[in-house]
Amino acid sequence: MWFEQVLFFVAGIGALAGALGVVMLRNPFYSVLALVVHLIALAVLFLLLHAEFLAAGQIVVYAGAVMVLYLFVVAYIGGSDEPLAAEGGPLGVFGPLFAAAVGVELCIAFVASGLKALGTRGAEIGTGFGAPEQIGELLLTKWLVAFETASFLLLVAAVGAVVLARRRRGLEEEGAAPGPRREAPTETLEVRV
Amino acid sequence: MDVVWFLVLSAFIFVIGAGGVLTRRNPLVVLLCLELMLNAGNLALIAFARMHGDGSGQIFALIVMVIAACEVVIGLGIIVAMYRNRLPIDIDEMSELRG
Amino acid sequence: MSATSFGWLVLVFPVVGLLITSLGWRALPGRSAGWIASAAILGSFLSAIGALVDMQDHPAEERHLVDSAWTYAATADLEVDLAILIDPLSVFMCLVVAGVSFLIHVYSVAYMGGDRGYARYFAYLNLFVFSMLLLVLAANFVLLIVGWAFVGAASYLLISFWYRRGTATAAGIKAFVMNVIGDVGLVIAAFLLLSETGQLDYLGVFEEAPEAFGRNDGTLVAACLLILVGAFAKSAQLPLHTWLPDAMEGPTPVSALIHAATMVTAGVYLIARCFPLFELAPTAADISAVVGTATLLMAASIALVVTDLKRVIAYSTMSQIGYMVLGVSVAAYGAGLFHLMTHAFFKALLFMGAGSVIGAMAGAQDMDRMGGFRKAMPFTFVTFTIGALALAGFPLMSGFFSKDEVLAFTIDRGGGYLVLGIVGYLAAALTAFYAFRMVFRVFFGEPVPEARELERGHVAHGEPMNPATGEPEDTDVGFPGPEHHVAERSGPMKAAMAPLALLAIVGGIVAVPGLTDTLEHFLEPTFEESRFHDTAPTEGAELIGLVIGAIISIASIGVAFLMYMRRRGITLELRDRFTAVHSFLSHKWYFDELYDAGFVRPMATAGSFGRRVVETDFVQGFIVGGSTGIVRAGTSFARAIQTGFLRAYALLLVLGLAGLVLYFLIASS
């Protein structure tokens, strides 16, 4: 259906644009915002794939909570403008190069794959596919262990965050402002790959 | 749309995220690129779930989101700790692992 | 007791003597080590006589008695025993070796008195005699080679007996190296014979030889030539002769034993023993005859000009061995061995006399410093002259009969051998001349100070020094002792020299042509298989030979008399006129220089090349240094990966991922 195709391309372009923005924008604040755009585009794509619950979760949790957390931290830290490419020459060249190589290989893998099902729109599905009922049922029956482990992981992360954020007595000088020292970084890196 | 289009898109997003990890020096941006890669994986998972007609792929993508959230929390906590200890916020400078 | 038991006794006695003198050297007082060793050799000699008597009891065809002590190796095809062979040839050799060795032991008891290494000397002497007897009594090539090698080792020990003298140890090494070259030849010859005939014991090989080899078969000629290499190395023939004059660094009795009577005759014995092989390979026999004659002439020519008394006698030995080699090569086995026996007598006698003179000279050996000892040392003078007469082939002396018998046989063979015979007569003339050169120079003329002292009654004393180089020495262990012994004052020395003088005079009686045939007859059981068994010169030819020999000898003695007694100084004039010839001869035909340039220098260069390039540069630098360098480079490379640089790790991750996906892509296509 032409509507789906148009929507796909619009969302796809939005996702790619957001991704490129994250990588290429110099100000980290703008990078976060680009990621938010990317996430929303991705949510649209999820909808196209009949994953309604996940699309909603993406918007609410990911774009809503995680990114807001990010924004807080970026605001706190400040994030200086830095040159895009690293001063170490080789990595700036080889990094994107090898990543592009991986991309090419993956595309070849997908396009030239022998899986016939890839060329179709997918299996026959009922109306309940991707609905919260199905998600809930799977979570509590088939994937119970994963569900419980993920919740445990969340607990651990919360504890860890509290520990990391603790102020330790005696380690900070009175009245000194946090942040990196203003002198230029010393020549401590002699060995670079 | 055919499933393969979604997969190719996810590959592109993954690659862009990988390039960003290799290229940027600000750890915040590196974490953001990591998020990109995770999202690309999510997209691929959901596309395959659609292909097989199996909801397990979506469950997996949900778990990935959980993990991404945990990882962001810890990573940002580390960066904040770095900032508070007056270390430069630059992953190239963080080449000596000290306690 | 049977002949073979006597044979084992012959071997056991010197071993017992060796053990007693070597293990108990601290406990043996005074000269007892010498008497014990001499008694051991006397025991050997008596056992050899016992073996002789018992062997002669057997009928002539059965006079090849083999006895085995122990089977060394027993396989399906081959059995190697430690076995001895009692037959006329081995008994003959045993008698000569044991008898002359006994007399030399007695001589040494007095001569080596006062030397700090007295017991060691007699232990070595017994070891040597044991080895020589083992060589002679061996019944197969294996035991022969064992005895051969032991003889070489014992001769090294004895030549470098005064081991703190640099010249002596160098001479010992030179002798040993050349002997080893001979050993190698002998061993390879034994292998060749084993591979073709499948046997190693003499009787077996000689029986198989006519079937296994045709006439002048290539392998047989090669084996015989290799046997000759061994024989020439041991007997100091061309080209392996350069060790013999240097071996005069050993004590004089050692020279008497080794280089007159025993070791140098081992080569002659070997050729005689292997006569069936040589008769099947006439090429090798001819080469042997030519080499013997060439050595004969060369050594005689050098003996004309050397001034060291012992070295004149050494070259004379080389020359006379040439006669023996010539004799056994032209199938005159009896004649060759006869000359071996008479030569043992008069050469040992000459060395003993020389030892006495050197004692009177307080260790000096240069003839230029000697003269006029006739009045001071009458006994030595008489015995030395007897020896010289025998050497020169003076009519009716033992040497006269033996030498002329060899030459008569040679000429009788005819053809090319005629030339060899003529050369032999020429060398006989030279021999007589240089023999009396020695006599006239040492005993006649103006008495030198040492002679005058001796006439007055005491032996001269000088500072101990190396007679060849003049370096000062002391008289402690490793150098000659402080005493100098002269025959006139020493009972044992006279007791040893007198029998030899007697034998030198009457020894010819066993083979006077036309009259007695004892030796030939005695040796017949060994040599009757020879093709030339019945070919002998006619009596007339032999008598003519004897007359020619007598004329040559008397004439040469006369020439020597004229040159040294009547017209003194003419030799110096000749030397100044013919400087090139004189220098050629006195440099021993430049053989030492030739070998030095041809073998010693290249080996030294190769050795230093090996040390510099191969060892230092290649092995240590390249291989050892290279491998450690590679490891070091590898580790420093590996160290560079761990930088703590986060983005580098990430790059490696991506790289790994790319590689993995590529692999799967390729694997699935």
Side-chain angles (χ1 to χ4, degrees), chain A residues 86-87 91 94-95 98-99 101-102 105-106 108-109 189 191-193, chain C residues 639-641 643 645 647-648 651 654-655 657-662 665:
Chain A
E87 283 147 30
L91 224 57
F94 284 120
F98 286 128
V102 173
E105 287 171 4
L106 284 173
I108 295 175
L189 295 175
V191 182
R192 294 199 188 218
V193 173
Chain C
R639 209 173 355 110
I641 293 181
T643 55
F645 196 49
R647 291 199 288 149
L651 182 67
V654 170
L655 240 134
L657 178 65
L660 206 60
V661 174
L662 188 66
L665 272 180

Side-chain angles (χ1 to χ4, degrees), chain C residues 616-662:
Chain C
T616 310
D617 288 346
F618 184 63
V619 174
Q620 277 194 291
F622 182 63
I623 294 182
V624 173
S627 58
T628 59
I630 288 175
V631 171
R632 221 175 272 137
T635 53
S636 68
F637 174 72
R639 209 173 355 110
I641 293 181
Q642 299 218 331
T643 55
F645 196 49
L646 189 72
R647 291 199 288 149
Y649 297 161
L651 182 67
L652 287 173
L653 272 173
V654 170
L655 240 134
L657 178 65
L660 206 60
V661 174
L662 188 66

Side-chain angles (χ1 to χ4, degrees), chain B residues 13-57:
Chain B
I13 297 172
F14 183 84
V15 166
I16 291 170
V21 166
L22 292 172
T23 316
R24 298 299 296 261
R25 281 167 65 182
N26 192 333
L28 284 168
V29 180
V30 169
L31 278 171
L32 284 175
C33 299
L34 274 172
E35 296 303 313
L36 272 181
M37 289 156 82
L38 282 167
N39 274 306
N42 266 356
L43 184 60
L45 276 167
I46 291 175
F48 277 119
R50 175 71 181 87
M51 187 178 93
H52 289 292
D54 192 353
S56 307

Side-chain angles (χ1 to χ4, degrees), chain C residues 99-100 102-108 110-111 252-253 256 313 344-358 377-388 443 485-505:
Chain C
V100 178
F102 170 63
L103 292 170
I104 292 174
H105 272 78
V106 171
Y107 180 88
S108 307
Y111 188 81
T252 310
I313 309 180
F345 298 148
F346 61 71
K347 196 47 67 66
L349 181 63
L350 280 173
F351 268 115
M352 287 183 184
S356 179
V357 170
I358 291 170
M377 306 173 73
F379 178 80
T380 310
F381 167 60
V382 167
T383 48
F384 196 90
T385 312
I386 291 174
F443 292 104
H485 300 102
V486 175
E488 277 66 23
R489 294 160 156 252
S490 170
M493 286 165 83
K494 279 199 276 217
M497 290 165 81
L500 283 175
L502 196 63
L503 285 169
I505 298 175

Side-chain angles (χ1 to χ4, degrees), chain C residues 580-617:
Chain C
V581 176
H582 181 264
S583 124
F584 182 68
L585 291 178
S586 72
H587 278 106
K588 305 162 262 173
W589 288 40
Y590 290 111
F591 267 101
D592 276 329
E593 286 79 357
L594 186 69
Y595 288 159
D596 185 49
F599 295 107
V600 176
R601 292 279 169 79
M603 295 250 76
T605 314
S608 84
F609 173 76
R611 184 180 57 80
R612 263 183 314 105
V613 175
V614 176
E615 180 62 31
T616 310
D617 288 346

Side-chain angles (χ1 to χ4, degrees), chain C residues 193-524:
Chain C
L193 290 172
L194 174 64
S195 78
E196 291 292 326
T197 61
Q199 313 259 359
L200 271 181
D201 57 303
Y202 293 143
L203 301 178
V205 171
F206 299 152
E207 261 181 56
E208 284 290 318
E211 288 117 51
F213 302 106
R215 193 185 143 84
N216 255 342
D217 187 274
T219 317
L220 182 62
V221 172
C224 287
L225 284 176
L226 288 166
I227 290 179
L228 285 179
V229 167
F232 290 159
K234 221 23 129 209
S235 297
Q237 300 293 287
L238 234 54
L240 295 165
H241 64 281
T242 50
W243 63 271
L244 186 56
D246 287 9
M248 296 298 117
E249 292 283 338
T252 310
V254 165
S255 306
L257 179 62
I258 296 184
H259 309 122
T262 46
M263 178 166 132
V264 292
T265 58
V268 179
Y269 163 76
L270 182 63
I271 300 177
R273 174 63 80 193
C274 296
F275 78 89
L277 302 174
F278 281 96
E279 286 187 4
L280 275 176
T283 318
D286 292 344
I287 292 177
S288 170
V290 168
V291 169
T293 319
T295 314
L296 178 55
L297 190 60
M298 178 201 83
S301 69
I302 298 178
L304 290 175
V305 300
V306 272
T307 52
D308 186 316
L309 181 60
K310 280 175 71 174
R311 276 171 177 77
V312 177
I313 309 180
Y315 281 107
S316 146
T317 303
M318 212 188 285
S319 175
Q320 298 300 305
I321 306 267
Y323 272 116
M324 298 176 218
V325 168
L326 175 64
V328 294
S329 303
V330 299
Y333 306 113
L337 291 167
F338 179 35
H339 195 58
L340 191 153
M341 184 178 82
T342 58
H343 173 263
F345 298 148
F346 61 71
K347 196 47 67 66
L349 181 63
L350 280 173
F351 268 115
M352 287 183 184
S356 179
V357 170
I358 291 170
M361 290 288 298
Q365 295 175 221
D366 196 348
M367 274 203 294
D368 290 338
R369 289 179 47 185
M370 301 179 191
F373 273 99
R374 197 178 33 161
K375 255 206 321 184
M377 306 173 73
F379 178 80
T380 310
F381 167 60
V382 167
T383 48
F384 196 90
T385 312
I386 291 174
L389 285 172
L391 173 60
F394 195 78
L396 299 184
M397 292 290 196
S398 58
F400 171 63
F401 292 113
S402 61
K403 190 185 307 187
D404 288 300
E405 193 171 334
V406 170
L407 291 173
F409 266 90
T410 311
I411 292 188
D412 187 60
R413 280 283 289 268
Y417 296 106
L418 196 60
V419 177
L420 297 180
I422 294 175
V423 171
Y425 275 118
L426 177 64
L430 295 178
T431 307
F433 180 80
Y434 70 65
F436 273 85
R437 170 175 177 249
M438 279 195 294
V439 172
F440 291 136
R441 281 188 75 162
V442 172
F443 292 104
F444 287 84
E446 269 302 305
V448 292
E450 288 86 353
R452 290 209 186 283
E453 270 208 52
L454 197 53
E455 284 171 34
R456 257 173 275 154
H458 34 82
V459 183
H461 257 327
E463 283 303 309
M465 65 168 185
N466 185 331
T469 60
E471 280 169 36
E473 301 172 343
D474 57 66
T475 55
D476 207 353
V477 138
F479 279 132
E483 297 172 19
H484 298 287
H485 300 102
V486 175
E488 277 66 23
R489 294 160 156 252
S490 170
M493 286 165 83
K494 279 199 276 217
M497 290 165 81
L500 283 175
L502 196 63
L503 285 169
I505 298 175
V506 304
I509 208 166
V510 293
V512 177
L515 293 178
T516 57
D517 212 8
T518 329
L519 191 62
E520 200 72 38
H521 193 67
F522 173 68
L523 288 173
E524 209 176 293

Side-chain angles (χ1 to χ4, degrees), chain C residues 62-138:
Chain C
E62 283 183 31
R63 289 187 197 154
H64 297 102
L65 304 161
V66 178
D67 189 38
S68 160
W70 184 45
T71 306
Y72 171 65
T75 65
D77 304 320
L78 181 65
E79 209 173 280
V80 176
D81 295 342
L82 264 48
I84 58 170
L85 168 68
I86 304 285
D87 79 342
L89 176 59
S90 58
V91 168
F92 170 77
M93 291 295 298
C94 278
L95 285 170
V96 171
V97 167
V100 178
S101 305
F102 170 63
L103 292 170
I104 292 174
H105 272 78
V106 171
Y107 180 88
S108 307
V109 168
Y111 188 81
M112 296 298 287
D115 192 304
R116 288 287 307 277
Y118 193 72
R120 178 168 60 103
Y121 173 82
F122 280 101
Y124 288 164
L125 266 189
N126 270 16
L127 171 67
F128 178 86
V129 176
F130 165 70
S131 325
M132 187 69 201
L133 290 170
L134 182 65
L135 191 162
V136 161
L137 281 172

